[in-house]
């Protein structure tokens, strides 16, 4: 147990099984990730071999059904939160986003897909042999999912897909894309989910450079008369919107946990710097203003973590509601922004030089605040669900 994770020992939601998982993942991160993360950040992507190693370590298959190559017996959603935190220890948000991209690409298949599709796709993904991504966002649509423009027209035993997706995590390396397409009329009722083989003729990918999450490859994807077998339809035709929506709560909970974890990393680096750095004849932490900053950072992290754990418990007990996840995501991203700023203030000029975790985390604040639903969209969603009003 370290200062990074001793909060779990004081929480009623975590027990020795969660700590055992944390230790296992931590050893994997120290051995297979920490020595290489700076190079992967510079390269702009993770090596495919890392997915295989993560699968062998039991990371990719955590809480997925055994019949498809996962391991769910004895694991709950708090184990998933532990995994998120331990992957955050290197201070690179792109690691979790890209290595665990199957966490948003695979669930719709397992929830809505045919048994043939599950058996064909899930095992190679959970073994790290194949990479799956999720394609929802479009260049002109953003969070307005119900009005997406990419079309899929039935042509015998195939669908013909035309259009494009934007800001797709793991889009350059993905073998498959769980893709939202329009098969019917306007609005949510005309949306379906299709699994697209990314090596299909007519698929074009363009790498996007980014401010943060640099080790996570991100792509703009264009479809030009791409033929997709009809058996790759995920769920009923024009019934894909529910598959998209059911993904969002878990994604937002995961992002909120990631914000708590990254904030702890930033605070830990700032605290260590404050204890070692001397100014005016005493350690930086000897100054009241610095102690106040650190205490306030801890206050915000602890408050947000308590809400994360409560939402996770509500999911476990079937008492969750979407508005809570929307508001939680805003709370977590604003907390991370505040903590990252204060950590940078404590490190001073050192926080502006590439190499510190705080520098990297500070650059990644905005992707958390925008990705998975912007703050404005989240608060409006919560407001409509809690208080009514025009849609």
């Amino acid at each position: 147990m370290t200062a990074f994770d001793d909060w779990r020992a004081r929480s009623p939601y975590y027990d020795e099984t969660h700590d055992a998982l944390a230790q296992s993942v931590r050893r994997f991160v120290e051995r297979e990730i920490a020595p290489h993360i700076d190079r992967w950040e510079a390269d702009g992507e993770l090596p495919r071999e890392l997915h295989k190693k993560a699968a062998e370590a039991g990371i990719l298959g955590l809480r997925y059904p055994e019949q498809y190559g996962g391991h769910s017996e004895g694991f709950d959603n708090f184990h998933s939160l532990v995994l998120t935190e331990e992957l955050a220890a290197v201070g690179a948000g792109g690691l979790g986003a890209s290595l665990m991209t199957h966490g948003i690409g695979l669930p719709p298949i397992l929830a809505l897909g045919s048994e043939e599709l599950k058996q064909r796709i899930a095992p190679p993904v959970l073994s790290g042999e194949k990479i799956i991504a999720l394609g929802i966002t479009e260049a002109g649509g953003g969070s307005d999912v119900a009005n997406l423009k990419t079309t899929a027209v039935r042509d015998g035993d195939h669908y013909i897909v035309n259009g494009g997706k934007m800001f797709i995590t793991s889009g350059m390396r993905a073998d498959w894309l769980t893709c939202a397409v329009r098969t019917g009329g306007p609005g949510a009722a005309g949306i379906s989910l299709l699994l697209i083989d990314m090596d299909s003729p007519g698929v074009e990918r363009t790498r996007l450079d980014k401010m943060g999450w640099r080790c996570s490859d991100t792509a703009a994807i264009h479809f030009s008369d791409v033929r997709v077998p009809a058996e790759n339809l995920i769920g009923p035709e024009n019934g894909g919107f529910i598959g998209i929506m059911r993904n969002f709560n878990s994604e937002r909970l995961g992002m909120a946990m990631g914000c708590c974890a990254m904030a702890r990393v930033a605070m830990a680096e700032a605290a260590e710097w404050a204890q070692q750095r001397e100014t005016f004849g005493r350690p930086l932490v000897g100054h009241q203003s610095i102690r106040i900053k650190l205490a306030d950072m801890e206050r915000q992290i602890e408050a947000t973590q308590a809400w994360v754990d409560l939402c996770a418990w509500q999911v476990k007990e079937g008492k969750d509601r979407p508005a809570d996840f929307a508001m939680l995501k805003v709370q977590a991203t604003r907390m991370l922004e505040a903590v990252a700023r204060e950590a940078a203030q404590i490190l001073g000029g050192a926080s502006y030089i590439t190499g510190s975790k705080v520098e990297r985390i500070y650059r990644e604040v905005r992707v958390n605040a925008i990705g998975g639903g912007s703050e404005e969209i989240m608060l409006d969603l919560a407001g409509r669900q809690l208080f009514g009003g025009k849609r």
Side-chain angles (χ1 to χ4, degrees):
M1 195 72 68
T2 69
F4 178 70
D5 64 355
D6 65 358
W7 61 272
R8 284 199 301 267
R10 296 177 282 108
S11 170
Y13 300 108
Y14 302 87
D15 58 29
E16 62 276 3
T17 68
H18 300 96
D19 188 54
L21 175 66
Q23 298 299 329
S24 176
V25 177
R26 187 172 306 166
R27 288 191 294 270
F28 178 83
V29 170
E30 291 173 349
R31 182 180 68 252
E32 302 291 350
I33 295 174
H36 313 293
I37 191 65
D38 289 337
R39 185 176 78 252
W40 296 340
E41 282 277 295
D43 292 344
E45 65 179 38
L46 301 176
R48 294 182 69 96
E49 188 65 27
L50 182 64
H51 290 257
K52 297 177 183 178
K53 291 179 178 179
E56 292 170 358
I59 290 174
L60 295 193
L62 185 69
R63 298 191 67 229
Y64 286 91
E66 277 80 359
Q67 65 263 41
Y68 305 120
H71 38 276
S72 57
E73 186 67 29
F75 294 99
D76 60 21
N77 52 352
F78 289 97
H79 290 95
S80 297
L81 299 186
V82 168
L83 174 59
T84 296
E85 173 153 37
E86 292 301 327
L87 290 177
V90 294
L95 170 68
S98 197
L99 180 62
M100 307 302 289
T101 190
H102 67 294
I104 55 176
L106 189 57
I109 294 175
L110 295 178
L112 302 173
S114 67
E115 186 59 31
E116 182 277 330
L117 195 61
K118 296 175 187 178
Q119 293 286 356
R120 174 158 54 96
I121 302 302
V125 168
L126 296 179
S127 69
E129 297 294 325
K130 297 287 187 178
I131 297 173
I132 191 169
L134 181 68
I136 305 293
T137 304
E138 297 183 353
S143 297
D144 191 7
V145 177
N147 289 313
L148 61 85
K149 307 300 183 186
T150 299
T151 60
V153 178
R154 187 67 181 258
D155 180 30
D157 294 334
H158 289 78
Y159 286 94
I160 309 299
V161 179
N162 284 282
K165 298 295 174 179
M166 182 62 74
F167 311 131
I168 305 305
T169 301
S170 296
M172 293 303 298
R173 297 179 305 137
D175 301 290
W176 293 309
L177 186 72
T178 298
C179 188
V181 295
R182 184 162 302 284
T183 49
I191 294 174
S192 298
L193 288 172
L194 275 180
L195 182 75
I196 299 178
D197 186 330
M198 294 298 282
D199 288 329
S200 301
V203 176
E204 297 180 8
R205 323 186 209 194
T206 302
R207 183 181 297 273
L208 301 175
D209 197 13
K210 307 184 299 298
M211 178 191 301
W213 280 13
R214 296 190 66 85
C215 67
S216 171
D217 60 293
T218 304
I221 302 173
H222 181 71
F223 307 109
S224 179
D225 293 329
V226 178
R227 297 184 65 83
V228 180
E231 59 263 29
N232 281 18
L233 181 67
I234 303 169
E237 188 173 279
N238 299 325
F241 193 73
I242 187 173
I244 298 170
M245 292 298 105
R246 69 188 301 164
N247 240 19
F248 281 155
N249 285 352
S250 60
E251 181 182 4
R252 289 163 187 163
L253 178 61
M255 290 188 73
M257 182 65 205
C259 288
C260 288
M262 286 296 173
R264 283 195 189 87
V265 172
M267 185 179 69
E269 188 170 62
E272 182 180 8
W273 177 267
Q275 290 161 356
Q276 295 178 355
R277 169 75 164 163
E278 287 196 3
T279 60
F280 305 103
R282 56 177 168 170
L284 196 59
V285 75
H287 299 278
Q288 183 184 49
S289 61
I290 300 300
R291 294 195 300 272
I292 289 173
K293 285 183 183 295
L294 290 168
D296 199 45
M297 292 157 70
E298 174 74 3
R299 172 189 64 82
Q300 294 183 67
I301 295 170
E302 289 286 340
T304 307
Q305 184 67 58
W307 198 0
V308 168
D309 288 345
L310 176 60
C311 284
W313 177 85
Q314 289 170 338
V315 170
K316 189 176 179 181
E317 299 297 318
K319 298 179 180 181
D320 52 305
R321 60 179 185 174
D324 290 329
F325 296 93
M327 293 185 294
L328 171 62
K329 181 179 179 294
V330 176
Q331 166 68 22
T333 56
R334 290 184 176 177
M335 175 276 295
L336 177 60
E337 186 165 15
V339 169
R341 180 195 185 279
E342 293 299 82
Q345 286 296 107
I346 292 173
L347 265 72
S351 72
Y352 204 67
I353 303 301
T354 300
S356 76
K357 293 178 181 178
V358 168
E359 180 270 337
R360 191 153 58 205
I361 291 169
Y362 205 178
R363 282 191 285 109
E364 296 180 348
V365 164
R366 292 264 52 87
V367 69
N368 287 283
I370 295 170
S374 68
E375 293 179 350
E376 294 78 9
I377 293 290
M378 292 296 91
L379 291 176
D380 182 53
L381 171 65
R384 283 190 279 110
Q385 291 179 345
L386 295 175
F387 310 112
K390 291 184 178 180
R391 295 186 62 83

